[in-house]
Amino acid sequence: MGSSENAVGGGRTVDKGVDFANYFCTYSFLYHQKEMLSDRVRMDAYFNAIFENKHHFNEKTVLDVGTGSGILALWSAQAGARKVYAVEATKMSEHARALVRANNLEHVVEVIEGSMEDVTLPEKVDVIISEWMGYFLLRESMFDSVICARDRWLKPTGVMYPSHARMWFAPVRTGIGDHKMCDYQSGTDDWYNFVDETKAYYGVDMSVLTKPFSDEQRKYYLQTSMWNHLHPHQVIGTAAIIKEIDCLTATVSDIEKVRSKFSLSITTENTKLCGFGGWFDVHFRGRGEDPAVHEIELTTAPSIDYGTHWGQQVFLLHPPIRVIEGDNLSVSFLMTRSKENHRLMEVELGCEVQLKSGNLLAPFKNKYYVE
Amino acid sequence: MGSSENAVGGGRTVDKGVDFANYFCTYSFLYHQKEMLSDRVRMDAYFNAIFENKHHFNEKTVLDVGTGSGILALWSAQAGARKVYAVEATKMSEHARALVRANNLEHVVEVIEGSMEDVTLPEKVDVIISEWMGYFLLRESMFDSVICARDRWLKPTGVMYPSHARMWFAPVRTGIGDHKMCDYQSGTDDWYNFVDETKAYYGVDMSVLTKPFSDEQRKYYLQTSMWNHLHPHQVIGTAAIIKEIDCLTATVSDIEKVRSKFSLSITTENTKLCGFGGWFDVHFRGRGEDPAVHEIELTTAPSIDYGTHWGQQVFLLHPPIRVIEGDNLSVSFLMTRSKENHRLMEVELGCEVQLKSGNLLAPFKNKYYVE
C-alpha cells in the first residue's frame, strides 16, 4: 500500500485515513471541545500546573501535542513562553488559530495542522505539554504521539507536562450490572421470537446464528467496560495501582501491553462485589533536576464533588459475588490493544477470591473490551 | 496513493479503508441485520416479489449485491434458482455462509466476501437482486455498486429486483422543529455562559468561536434532516415525485445529483407548514419484455400500520409558516453528495409560497444535510 500508511505503535501498520475516520473526527467538533473545556477538574489542574510553575514556561519553547482549541498553548504563552508550537491533526487547528489571534498571542503561538508524527519543528523545545489521556488513561493510544514528539523534539533537559501517570483499579458495587443483564436477556428472548417468526413466515431457519448473535450481545452488554460516575461509597475495597508511567522515559512498548498482578482487600462489611472500577491520575512534577515548585495532581478517581468527563470505567462481574470485610482478591490484569483498532483495548482479568475464613472461591477469568 | 484507493461515484476517488470504517462496519453486526430482517414491510415486499414471480428465478442465475445475512440469496435459491452469487463486503459473509449451509442450499448459493467492484463472477446472471436503499433512497450511495454489478454481470435480457425506484417529497406539520429549536437555543445560551466563565476563570477569550460554534449547532439541530415516523395526518398537502429511477438503465451520473422543480398544494385547512417529509418507494416489475406476473410495491410513505425501519426524513422550516388549503408551494430541489463522504448528502431547497389569495410570500432557500 501507499502513502496513506504509517507505522504506529510498536511497528504495527495503521492506515492513517481510516484512523482519521475512526478517531480524529470526533475532535473536530467544537461541541466536543467545549465539553472538555468545561471539565473544571481538568482545566484547573492544567491551569494551576502552568501558572504555579511559570519558571518552566517563562522565556521557554513549548510544544503542545494535540492542541485542540489551543487552550494549553494559550496558557503556556500567557505564562511567558517565548514560542509555542501547537500541533493539531484536525481542522480544529483553524479555530485554534483564530483563538490565538483573538487573544493577541500570534507572535508566540504557532498552530501547525498535521499529525505529530509528520510535523517538523525548526528547533527543539523545553517543554512538551499535552492532554493525551483517554478513558482509563490509555484508550485512544494518544500517548504514542507524545512519546514520538518527546523523542524527536524535547531537549535533553526538557520537561513533560504531565510528568507522571498512573492507572488504578478497585472492587466496586453497582446496580448497572443487573440492568445490563436484563438488556442482554431480553435481547436473547427477542432473538428466539425472531428465529421462530422468520422460519414461520419466511421459510428460513436462522437458528444457526443464535450463538454468534448471543456472543455479539454478550460482548456489547456484558463485556464492554462502561463509562460511569462512581460514588466513592461504591468502592468497596482498597484500590491498587496497575501501572505507573514516567512520561519522560516511557516507550510505546512499555504501554502497549499493561500486565500486572495485585491484591485488593474488601473493606466494606457484607456487600456484593459487582465488578471493578478503573481510573487514572496524572501528576505535574517537572523533572528531577528541574522540579515543579507546586506539584499538581489531576485525578479521575470516584469523587462526590470533583467528577471529570473521563468518569471511571466499570468492568462488570456476572453474577456478583457476596463478600465481607477482610476478604481478599488476587487479581491478574492484562490489557492489550485491539487488533482491529489500535486505539481500543482488550482486558483479560483473572481473579481469585480468598475469603476471610481462609477458603478459596473458584477462580475466574473474564475478557473485557474498552471501546 | 496505493491499492487502498478505488474510483467510486463518477470518478471521485474514495479511500476504501476509510469507506469501510465509515460505512460498512455497521453492517457487520447481527443486531443491525436483525433490525432489517424484522422490518415486515421490507421482508414481505422482497418475499412476495420473489415467490410471486418464480419464473424470474426458476433455473436462473442470480446475483445478490450486498447480501448481508443472505436472506435474498436464500429466497432466490428456494424459488428455484440454479445458482446464486451472494456478494458481501463485510465479515457478515461468514454468517451468511453458515446460514446457507444450515438451510441446505450450499449447492446453489455461493457467498463471496468482497466489494462488488472487485468481484469476478464465472458467468453473467439473469437476475440482480439487492436491497440497496438508504434513508431517503440514496443515502449510502449503495446503488452505485448495483449499477456496477449490472453493467458488468447482467445478461442483456436480465432483470433487476427491484426494477424501479422513486423519491417523494411532501409538506408536513410536526412538533419536532420546536424541540430542535429549543435544543439549539439552550446550546447557544450555554455557550455564552461558557465564554464568560472561561474568560473569568482561565483568562482566555473564546468569543471568536461563537459564530463557528453556533454554525456547528445550527447544522446539527436545524439543518440535518431527521429520521421520523410521520403519521399520514402530518402530511398537509400533495406529495410530489422528485426522481424516478429505472434500475435497468440508470447511471451513476443520473443519481449523484438529483435536481427537480415541482409544485405542492396545501390540502389541509388552516395549518402550519413545519417542513417537508422525504421518502421513497421501489417497484418490482421485471423487465418490459419479461414482466413480473405480480407487480410488488415497497413503499416507505407515512403510514399508520406499515412503518418501515427507513421511516421518513424530515427537513425542518424555522419558523413554520401559517398556510391554508389551496396555498401552493413552488419548490426547487437539489441533492448532491457530500464532498467529505460520498455516502452522505446535501440538499439545497428553494421554496416560493403562493397564497390562495394570490399573494406571494418572500421566497426562501435552505441548506440541509442528510447524515
Side-chain angles (χ1 to χ4, degrees):
Chain A
M1 295 210 282
S3 65
S4 70
E5 277 182 54
N6 198 32
V8 176
R12 186 183 296 156
T13 293
V14 172
D15 184 304
K16 291 181 83 171
V18 173
D19 193 35
F20 205 93
N22 276 331
Y23 174 63
F24 285 107
C25 57
T26 322
Y27 289 102
S28 61
F29 289 97
L30 281 166
Y31 179 83
H32 185 69
Q33 295 290 334
K34 174 170 169 286
E35 250 182 354
M36 297 187 293
L37 293 164
S38 302
D39 180 334
R40 297 294 286 265
V41 174
R42 171 185 182 270
M43 290 286 275
D44 285 350
Y46 277 89
F47 184 82
N48 293 333
I50 295 170
F51 289 98
E52 294 183 14
N53 295 289
K54 281 191 176 181
H55 68 291
H56 278 148
F57 295 85
N58 198 31
E59 290 300 319
K60 299 294 173 63
T61 51
V62 179
L63 167 59
D64 178 4
V65 180
T67 197
S69 62
I71 189 79
L72 302 183
L74 288 165
W75 284 341
S76 301
Q78 289 175 335
R82 180 178 63 71
K83 181 78 189 180
V84 182
Y85 302 100
V87 175
E88 171 59 30
T90 77
K91 283 285 163 205
M92 191 52 58
S93 60
E94 292 171 13
H95 297 313
R97 213 168 276 132
L99 214 50
V100 168
R101 235 178 290 119
N103 286 272
N104 303 311
L105 289 165
E106 65 269 45
H107 57 293
V108 180
V109 180
E110 182 175 336
V111 177
I112 302 168
E113 187 181 322
S115 70
M116 196 60 240
E117 288 74 9
D118 300 334
V119 162
T120 302
L121 303 183
E123 61 182 326
K124 294 218 170 189
V125 299
D126 300 298
V127 180
I128 289 180
I129 192 165
S130 178
E131 196 282 81
W132 51 267
M133 298 86 75
Y135 291 152
F136 201 27
L137 191 64
L138 294 178
R139 184 179 171 281
E140 302 183 29
S141 295
M142 185 181 156
F143 192 56
D144 290 16
S145 299
V146 176
I147 290 174
C148 168
R150 181 197 69 198
D151 293 348
R152 289 193 198 163
W153 303 113
L154 190 66
K155 290 182 188 171
T157 55
V159 180
M160 299 294 291
Y161 268 70
S163 60
H164 296 81
R166 297 186 297 187
M167 293 169 67
W168 290 85
F169 209 65
V172 302
R173 63 178 170 200
T174 168
I176 325 173
D178 293 342
H179 286 289
K180 292 286 166 183
M181 186 49 98
C182 272
D183 289 344
Y184 170 68
Q185 279 165 345
S186 79
T188 305
D189 291 347
D190 208 39
W191 173 265
Y192 285 114
N193 284 338
F194 164 72
V195 168
D196 289 346
E197 291 191 358
T198 307
K199 181 70 189 157
Y201 293 116
Y202 302 115
V204 170
D205 181 359
M206 291 267 170
S207 57
V208 70
L209 298 183
T210 300
K211 170 122 186 5
F213 179 76
S214 175
D215 290 348
E216 183 187 298
Q217 294 270 297
R218 185 177 302 112
K219 178 178 172 185
Y220 182 75
Y221 286 117
L222 308 182
Q223 298 185 277
T224 302
S225 64
M226 280 170 324
W227 186 94
N228 203 243
H229 267 311
L230 288 168
H231 188 284
H233 284 164
Q234 293 182 270
V235 178
I236 59 169
T238 56
I241 294 170
I242 297 181
K243 176 83 179 173
E244 299 203 57
I245 296 172
D246 181 339
C247 302
L248 201 55
T249 57
T251 64
V252 171
S253 70
D254 288 340
I255 58 166
E256 57 179 2
K257 270 205 172 75
V258 175
R259 195 190 294 274
S260 180
K261 280 180 191 288
F262 49 88
S263 285
L264 302 169
S265 303
I266 302 301
T267 55
T268 305
E269 224 0 290
N270 210 11
T271 185
K272 274 201 272 187
L273 173 65
C274 303
F276 299 89
W279 63 84
F280 68 89
D281 58 23
V282 301
H283 289 86
F284 301 82
R285 294 187 185 134
R287 186 186 175 104
E289 62 274 31
D290 184 12
V293 177
H294 293 105
E295 200 174 286
I296 300 293
E297 176 182 81
L298 164 52
T299 177
T300 66
S303 162
I304 303 172
D305 297 323
Y306 298 103
T308 71
H309 77 283
W310 285 287
Q312 296 84 38
Q313 286 288 306
V314 174
F315 302 80
L316 293 167
L317 284 184
H318 298 283
I321 300 169
R322 202 148 263 305
V323 289
I324 59 167
E325 188 179 354
D327 289 348
N328 205 63
L329 314 175
S330 296
V331 179
S332 74
F333 178 97
L334 172 64
M335 187 165 89
T336 52
R337 298 179 176 189
S338 154
K339 276 189 197 67
E340 288 77 36
N341 182 342
H342 77 292
R343 297 190 185 277
L344 305 180
M345 307 290 157
E346 298 182 3
V347 169
E348 278 175 47
L349 188 77
C351 184
E352 267 187 9
V353 183
Q354 176 155 38
L355 301 178
K356 196 181 182 181
S357 64
N359 290 340
L360 278 178
L361 299 186
F364 58 85
K365 207 173 182 106
N366 288 343
K367 174 92 186 243
Y368 297 99
Y369 302 87
V370 184
E371 304 227 301
Chain B
M1 296 212 278
S3 65
S4 70
E5 277 183 53
N6 198 33
V8 175
R12 186 183 295 156
T13 293
V14 171
D15 184 304
K16 291 182 84 171
V18 173
D19 193 34
F20 205 92
N22 275 332
Y23 173 63
F24 285 108
C25 57
T26 323
Y27 288 102
S28 62
F29 289 97
L30 281 167
Y31 179 82
H32 185 69
Q33 294 290 334
K34 174 171 168 286
E35 250 183 356
M36 295 188 294
L37 293 165
S38 302
D39 180 333
R40 297 293 287 264
V41 174
R42 173 186 181 269
M43 290 285 275
D44 284 349
Y46 276 88
F47 184 81
N48 294 333
I50 294 170
F51 288 99
E52 294 183 15
N53 294 289
K54 282 191 175 180
H55 69 290
H56 277 147
F57 294 86
N58 198 32
E59 290 299 319
K60 299 293 172 64
T61 51
V62 179
L63 167 58
D64 178 4
V65 180
T67 196
S69 62
I71 190 77
L72 302 184
L74 288 165
W75 285 341
S76 300
Q78 288 174 336
R82 182 177 63 71
K83 181 79 190 180
V84 182
Y85 302 100
V87 175
E88 171 59 31
T90 76
K91 284 285 162 205
M92 191 52 59
S93 60
E94 293 171 13
H95 297 314
R97 213 168 277 132
L99 213 52
V100 167
R101 236 178 288 120
N103 286 272
N104 303 311
L105 289 165
E106 65 269 45
H107 57 293
V108 180
V109 180
E110 183 176 336
V111 177
I112 302 168
E113 188 181 322
S115 70
M116 195 61 239
E117 288 75 8
D118 299 334
V119 162
T120 302
L121 303 183
E123 60 181 326
K124 295 217 169 187
V125 300
D126 301 297
V127 181
I128 289 179
I129 192 166
S130 178
E131 196 282 81
W132 52 266
M133 298 85 76
Y135 291 151
F136 201 27
L137 193 64
L138 294 177
R139 184 177 172 280
E140 302 184 29
S141 295
M142 185 181 156
F143 193 57
D144 290 16
S145 299
V146 176
I147 290 174
C148 169
R150 182 199 67 198
D151 292 348
R152 289 194 199 161
W153 303 112
L154 189 66
K155 290 181 187 170
T157 55
V159 180
M160 299 295 288
Y161 268 71
S163 60
H164 297 81
R166 297 186 296 188
M167 294 169 66
W168 290 85
F169 209 65
V172 301
R173 63 179 170 199
T174 168
I176 326 172
D178 293 344
H179 287 288
K180 292 286 166 183
M181 187 49 98
C182 272
D183 289 343
Y184 170 69
Q185 279 164 346
S186 79
T188 305
D189 291 348
D190 207 42
W191 172 265
Y192 286 114
N193 284 338
F194 164 73
V195 168
D196 289 348
E197 292 193 357
T198 307
K199 182 70 190 156
Y201 293 115
Y202 302 115
V204 170
D205 181 358
M206 292 268 169
S207 57
V208 70
L209 298 184
T210 300
K211 169 122 185 7
F213 179 77
S214 174
D215 289 347
E216 183 186 298
Q217 294 269 298
R218 186 177 301 112
K219 179 179 171 184
Y220 181 75
Y221 286 117
L222 308 182
Q223 296 185 279
T224 302
S225 65
M226 280 171 322
W227 185 94
N228 203 243
H229 266 310
L230 289 168
H231 188 283
H233 284 163
Q234 293 182 269
V235 177
I236 59 169
T238 55
I241 294 170
I242 296 180
K243 176 83 178 171
E244 299 204 56
I245 297 173
D246 181 340
C247 301
L248 201 55
T249 56
T251 64
V252 171
S253 71
D254 287 341
I255 58 167
E256 59 179 0
K257 271 205 173 79
V258 175
R259 194 189 295 273
S260 181
K261 281 182 192 284
F262 48 88
S263 285
L264 301 170
S265 303
I266 303 301
T267 55
T268 304
E269 225 358 291
N270 210 11
T271 184
K272 275 201 269 187
L273 173 67
C274 303
F276 299 89
W279 63 85
F280 68 89
D281 57 24
V282 302
H283 289 87
F284 302 82
R285 293 186 186 136
R287 185 185 177 105
E289 63 275 31
D290 183 13
V293 178
H294 292 106
E295 200 175 286
I296 300 292
E297 176 182 80
L298 164 52
T299 177
T300 66
S303 162
I304 303 172
D305 297 322
Y306 298 102
T308 71
H309 77 284
W310 285 286
Q312 295 84 39
Q313 287 288 306
V314 174
F315 302 80
L316 293 166
L317 284 184
H318 298 284
I321 299 169
R322 203 147 264 303
V323 289
I324 59 166
E325 187 178 354
D327 287 349
N328 205 62
L329 315 174
S330 297
V331 179
S332 72
F333 178 98
L334 172 63
M335 185 164 91
T336 53
R337 298 178 178 190
S338 155
K339 276 190 196 66
E340 287 77 35
N341 183 342
H342 76 292
R343 298 189 184 277
L344 304 180
M345 307 289 155
E346 300 182 1
V347 169
E348 278 174 48
L349 187 78
C351 184
E352 267 188 10
V353 183
Q354 176 154 39
L355 301 179
K356 195 180 181 182
S357 65
N359 289 341
L360 278 178
L361 299 186
F364 57 86
K365 208 174 181 104
N366 287 344
K367 173 93 185 239
Y368 297 98
Y369 302 87
V370 183
E371 306 225 301

